[in-house]
Amino acid sequence: MAKQKAGDTREKLLSAACDVFVEMGFRDATVAEICRRAGANISAVNYHFGSKETLYQQAWRHSFAESVRIHPQDGGVSEEAPARERLQGRLKALIERIADKNNRDFFISQMEFVNPTGLLGEVMRTEFIPLREKTLSLMRELLGPDASEEEVVFCESCIISMCVHPMLLRRISQKTGNTGGPHPPFNLEAYTKHVVKFALAGIAAIKGGKIPGTALYPS
């Protein structure tokens, strides 16, 4: 029973910390506020995590794991499926994960990029590098053996940017109610299809030919 209670307290601290770090960033967030929301004693942070810094790292890892659990990175597409379908699955998962209003790891990451603490570098690399390698591998497969590594990286960067930036605008627009700026896509299914179609056409142009299946989403 004591172990279960300790586990419950740890989970509550992680959940509360995610919310507070999203709202305030690391520097303005306080252990006192996190503990207040978690209904825990301040000493609980030291007991479970040792420091605010470690709590920050574990909160991001916790939120990332929860987000990926809800939106599996493969988008439900089998590893045996054609490359274009696997790309569709991964982009669908990424777009839906960032667009999810309950997603917290993305905004913690964005705040870290804007006002870096240096505390998330290692934990983010541990999670992001394997994820990115799978996307790069897909790019190599779609571009073919004649593509340079620079072309692979450029294509991957362009495609991921098409997913991240509009979804960031969408989240901000929803949060602020601002309708006067750029109009972000709100139909996720239609936008995902557009990104996949655009990406395949771009890859075909780089490759210098047609990729079978680029009519996956005919107009």
Side-chain angles (χ1 to χ4, degrees), residues 74 76-89 138 141:
D74 60 10
V77 178
S78 167
E79 284 296 318
E80 283 70 49
R84 64 182 181 275
E85 293 180 18
R86 282 181 276 131
L87 177 65
Q88 173 197 351
L138 263 175
E141 188 175 348

Side-chain angles (χ1 to χ4, degrees), residues 25-202:
F26 173 77
R27 292 180 175 83
D28 291 335
T30 65
V31 169
E33 176 60 16
I34 292 169
C35 289
R36 185 189 70 78
R37 296 195 191 189
N41 295 324
I42 290 180
S43 60
V45 168
N46 186 59
Y47 175 78
H48 288 285
F49 302 100
S51 66
K52 176 184 170 184
E53 288 77 10
T54 302
L55 175 57
Y56 182 54
Q57 294 168 332
Q58 292 304 312
W60 183 86
R61 193 186 293 276
H62 172 80
S63 62
F64 181 79
E66 179 67 10
S67 180
V68 170
R69 182 187 66 79
I70 296 170
H71 306 287
Q73 296 171 4
D74 60 10
V77 178
S78 167
E79 284 296 318
E80 283 70 49
R84 64 182 181 275
E85 293 180 18
R86 282 181 276 131
L87 177 65
Q88 173 197 351
R90 298 191 76 79
L91 297 184
K92 175 178 181 290
L94 178 59
I95 287 170
E96 290 181 351
R97 186 166 70 83
I98 298 173
D100 186 347
K101 64 181 181 181
N102 295 315
N103 175 297
R104 296 174 291 185
D105 73 279
F106 180 74
F107 269 86
I108 294 175
S109 301
Q110 292 300 304
M111 295 185 76
E112 181 68 18
F113 292 145
V114 172
N115 193 10
T117 65
L119 294 169
L120 294 185
E122 185 56 35
V123 295
M124 289 174 71
R125 279 192 295 272
T126 300
E127 302 295 346
F128 283 157
I129 288 177
L131 177 62
R132 189 179 184 215
E133 278 304 319
K134 288 189 176 182
T135 307
L136 288 171
S137 178
L138 263 175
M139 292 299 101
R140 295 185 189 102
E141 188 175 348
L142 286 164
L143 285 164
D146 295 332
S148 68
E149 192 61 17
E150 182 178 70
E151 288 174 325
V152 169
V153 172
F154 282 0
C155 285
E156 183 258 357
S157 297
C158 289
I159 292 169
I160 296 302
S161 294
M162 284 195 292
C163 299
V164 174
H165 183 64
M167 292 305 102
L168 178 59
L169 288 177
R170 184 179 190 270
R171 289 281 296 270
I172 292 172
S173 177
Q174 288 175 327
K175 187 174 182 179
T176 62
N178 180 15
T179 59
H183 298 293
F186 286 94
N187 185 331
L188 294 186
E189 182 178 359
Y191 184 67
T192 300
K193 289 181 178 180
H194 172 79
V195 170
V196 173
K197 187 175 183 180
F198 197 93
L200 289 172

